[in-house]
Amino acid sequence: RDLAVAAEKFNLETPHEPLDENGPAEVRRASKAFNAMEARIRRLVSERTQALGAVSHDLRTPIARLRLRAELLDDEEMRRRVQDDLGDMESMIDSTLEFLKLGASGEPKRQVDMSSLVETIVDEEADKGRRISFEVLESSVIEGQPVSLKRAFWNVIGNALKYGEVVSVAVFRENGKSIVHVDDDGPGIPPDLIERAFEPFYRVEASRSRQTGGTGLGLTIARQILRAHGGDIQLMNRAEGGLRARIELPVAEHVIAKAPPTRQRDASAG
């Protein structure tokens, strides 16, 4: 029983006391093997992250030099293209580091109001002039890491804004879970490729262009964060056109969330 509980609770965010290596020989051997496995996993993840961090640091130096040299180019169009490529390289480095650091952030968990978290992102995008609306039918409190969760929602909402001109976000509760719908009016995704959209570095070329930028890690990172919080995300094409991202997260059990009055914020630009 202790071994099963330890395996279910194992994660990289929270260090746990090693299992007691007592009892019959078989139990001691299993506990010892589990403790050794947990230590190896933590060490491998740490070494991988440190190695990638060192590589990314070394890559930034020549990128910075190339940026300076690009400024000396007389051809304005060529200078712009070089600067864009260097920006893509930096973005890839940052996204890959973020992807590999998932699960080892050390950020403490606390209670988070779902509507407030999502509305912060919507407000920031609306302030940039993006056509985005926000509606809260019923909010709730969840247990999680606020910074990581904000990153996940930012990735999902940013993805919708990248491929659609108009985006709507709704927060409500359903079957004891906190639900967020992010709808866009973009081209959607072929049904047989929807799950592949969550694969690292994968782009659905048939419907989503490289011209929109990105590294193909946004949805991957979002799903990993949400699943680490006991939730998940699904993509589905809307009958009226565009794509819907449906996010589910468990409501904090020990909190009786008082839902705020139903409200709707239309932040559409223009």
Side-chain angles (χ1 to χ4, degrees):
R1 184 184 65 245
D2 291 343
L3 186 62
V5 170
E8 291 168 356
K9 290 185 175 180
F10 173 72
N11 61 72
L12 295 171
E13 293 96 345
T14 310
H16 298 283
E17 290 293 326
L19 283 172
D20 289 333
E21 298 177 9
N22 300 319
E26 293 85 353
V27 175
R28 294 199 305 272
R29 183 178 179 183
S31 298
K32 186 175 181 179
F34 183 88
N35 289 336
M37 177 192 67
E38 181 177 355
R40 284 198 304 272
I41 291 173
R42 292 185 184 278
R43 184 174 64 252
L44 287 170
V45 172
S46 176
E47 290 174 352
R48 181 182 66 170
T49 304
Q50 289 176 6
L52 188 63
V55 171
S56 68
H57 179 271
D58 291 342
L59 282 174
R60 292 180 199 279
T61 301
I63 288 176
R65 287 200 301 263
L66 287 170
R67 279 193 180 279
L68 291 173
R69 292 172 183 172
E71 290 296 330
L72 301 176
L73 293 174
D74 295 329
D75 188 328
E76 183 176 345
E77 178 63 19
M78 179 61 69
R79 181 169 63 250
R80 184 190 61 79
R81 290 181 180 180
V82 171
Q83 294 285 15
D84 287 347
D85 286 342
L86 292 173
D88 288 343
M89 291 174 65
E90 288 181 319
S91 178
M92 281 187 261
I93 291 171
D94 292 340
S95 297
T96 304
L97 269 177
E98 182 181 4
F99 173 63
L100 293 177
K101 283 181 180 177
L102 286 177
S105 65
E107 182 190 358
K109 290 186 177 182
R110 64 178 177 85
Q111 293 175 2
V112 181
D113 181 82
M114 178 68 82
S115 62
S116 298
L117 179 74
V118 177
E119 188 172 23
T120 300
I121 300 172
V122 173
D123 286 345
E124 291 191 31
E125 292 297 339
D127 289 342
K128 298 176 185 176
R130 309 305 298 271
R131 299 177 65 187
I132 182 169
S133 62
F134 181 62
E135 181 180 14
V136 179
L137 301 177
E138 187 178 10
S139 186
S140 54
V141 175
I142 61 174
E143 192 86 17
Q145 299 170 309
V147 175
S148 295
L149 285 170
K150 188 172 183 179
R151 181 186 302 128
F153 281 106
W154 204 296
N155 286 355
V156 176
I157 293 173
N159 191 71
L161 289 167
K162 202 179 289 182
Y163 301 107
E165 294 184 4
V166 180
V167 172
S168 61
V169 182
V171 178
F172 58 98
R173 291 183 64 167
E174 185 179 278
N175 298 325
K177 293 184 178 181
S178 185
I179 310 295
V180 179
H181 281 177
V182 180
D183 296 344
D184 67 53
D185 62 346
I189 296 178
D192 58 327
L193 297 179
I194 283 180
E195 275 304 305
R196 296 208 64 187
F198 293 104
E199 295 179 7
F201 305 107
Y202 183 79
R203 292 187 181 86
V204 187
E205 297 299 339
S207 61
R208 305 213 161 193
S209 170
R210 286 182 180 271
Q211 298 302 317
T212 55
T215 59
L217 283 173
L219 291 177
T220 307
I221 291 172
R223 171 169 272 187
Q224 286 201 6
I225 291 173
L226 294 168
R227 285 183 170 178
H229 284 78
D232 207 346
I233 176 174
Q234 294 177 314
L235 300 178
M236 57 199 77
N237 290 304
R238 302 164 63 215
E240 60 270 40
L243 193 71
R244 164 171 291 175
R246 176 185 170 89
I247 296 168
E248 299 182 1
L249 283 166
V251 175
E253 295 180 0
H254 61 288
V255 175
I256 300 177
K258 294 182 179 180
T262 301
R263 66 184 187 276
Q264 183 170 354
R265 182 187 192 282
D266 187 353
S268 300

